Amino acid sequence: MNIGYTLMCEQTDPRSLVRDAAAAEQAGFTLAVMSDHFFPWLDAQGHSPNAWATLGAVSQVTSTLELMTYVTCPIGRYHPAVVAQQAATVGLLSNGRFTLGLGSGENLNEHVIGGGWPGVNTRHEKLEEAVDIIGGLFDGGYVTYSGKHYHVDSAKLWDLPENRVPIGVAVSGAQSVAAFAPKAEVMISTEPDPELGRGWDAASASGSPARKVGQLPISWDSDREAAVQRAHEQFRWFAGGWKVNAEIPSTAGFAAASQFVRPEDVAGQIPCGSDIDAVVKALQPFADAGFTDVALVQIGGDQQKSFLEAAEKELLPAVRAVFGKK
């Protein structure tokens, strides 16, 4: 299982994200995933630059680091045809190091266009159509599409990378696995559920085990109490779970929903401090569930330099000794 790094837009300004990406490659990470938000989860995080402009810059300061959106929602503020063009461009700029991660999104980010927030079944229908449109454009040639939710009129991508950009889709249950495994190459999930991976591989069009990418937040710090407090301040929204998190429309809503979450509650879900064994223990369920990659999220935008130094010297060698380097 490969251990990746998360470029988390919600907690870091774009110039620092670019520097962090270069430092992550230098530290020995081989994969970096980037969130694609319009808002942070909580005001305390304080940032949310445009992911695609930032990815373009990241592609130019790195040379071996794989890049991936984790994840882009192509059913709200982006039209699927525009997402396809952005992904193809980053694929070219990165010389084939980019994977397009897609998901059905959150109200927090998509409400900004004033179109309302559809129910979950409608969101999944729209995502299925979006994946079909994006895949068709990645095939080359002109695409005309008329679906229940989207229409495309004679679209064509004029600049495509030599190798097709892989598509990943975030899934959470049997319904989404059945819908997207035949259409995508990469499974994405934050839940280390072995049933997801088994279902994906069974439904996949490739007939072979797929790449499966997870994510794990940690709060690395030599001062454990400081790590716990930082995790509580910036990541207590995480306790709600994705079914809840997808519906809340504002940072104020996330603050209210998480007002009774205690620091010890957060520390029970997120490894805090500098205990490598705690990180290994948190990663083990992903390995057991067949995940090929897990991207760590170091909580705190101003904590990336010290974390990357520790990752290079301590964390990555120890974790790779347990899980192996991809």
Side-chain angles (χ1 to χ4, degrees), residues 244-321:
V244 173
N245 293 345
E247 307 299 335
I248 298 175
S250 66
T251 56
F254 275 99
S258 61
Q259 63 181 310
F260 298 115
V261 177
R262 302 168 301 171
E264 56 266 35
D265 298 327
V266 176
Q269 290 187 293
I270 295 172
C272 295
S274 56
D275 183 354
I276 292 173
D277 289 340
V279 178
V280 169
K281 182 179 179 181
L283 287 168
Q284 189 64 55
F286 289 95
D288 294 341
F291 279 72
T292 58
D293 305 79
V294 177
L296 300 178
V297 185
Q298 165 63 354
I299 298 172
D302 60 349
Q303 300 295 313
Q304 302 307 303
K305 184 176 185 295
S306 58
F307 168 71
L308 289 169
E309 290 173 352
E312 180 177 12
K313 296 174 183 176
E314 306 172 57
L315 185 59
L316 282 177
V319 170
R320 285 172 178 159

Side-chain angles (χ1 to χ4, degrees), residues 126-322:
K126 295 181 75 172
L127 184 58
E128 287 188 61
E129 290 191 15
V131 172
D132 288 340
I133 292 166
I134 293 167
L137 288 166
F138 284 174
D139 287 338
Y142 285 92
V143 172
T144 296
Y145 183 94
S146 182
K148 180 179 178 181
H149 301 284
Y150 289 112
H151 299 275
V152 177
D153 183 16
S154 299
K156 173 182 168 69
L157 297 180
W158 290 91
D159 292 280
L160 282 166
E162 181 178 348
N163 295 317
R164 180 189 174 101
V165 174
I167 296 175
V169 179
V171 295
S172 58
Q175 180 181 351
S176 53
V177 165
F180 296 109
K183 301 174 184 286
E185 295 80 37
V186 181
M187 187 192 91
I188 299 169
S189 180
T190 57
E191 297 297 326
D193 181 353
E195 291 300 320
L196 294 177
R198 284 194 285 266
W200 184 281
D201 288 340
S204 174
S206 70
S208 58
R211 188 175 192 179
K212 303 171 182 71
V213 185
Q215 191 177 54
L216 176 70
I218 69 172
S219 186
W220 185 270
D221 199 307
S222 58
D223 183 340
R224 187 176 186 278
E225 183 58 32
V228 170
Q229 291 302 320
R230 185 170 66 249
H232 179 258
E233 178 189 28
Q234 297 196 23
F235 244 76
R236 64 185 183 275
W237 60 270
F238 189 74
W242 290 109
K243 288 185 178 181
V244 173
N245 293 345
E247 307 299 335
I248 298 175
S250 66
T251 56
F254 275 99
S258 61
Q259 63 181 310
F260 298 115
V261 177
R262 302 168 301 171
E264 56 266 35
D265 298 327
V266 176
Q269 290 187 293
I270 295 172
C272 295
S274 56
D275 183 354
I276 292 173
D277 289 340
V279 178
V280 169
K281 182 179 179 181
L283 287 168
Q284 189 64 55
F286 289 95
D288 294 341
F291 279 72
T292 58
D293 305 79
V294 177
L296 300 178
V297 185
Q298 165 63 354
I299 298 172
D302 60 349
Q303 300 295 313
Q304 302 307 303
K305 184 176 185 295
S306 58
F307 168 71
L308 289 169
E309 290 173 352
E312 180 177 12
K313 296 174 183 176
E314 306 172 57
L315 185 59
L316 282 177
V319 170
R320 285 172 178 159
V322 177

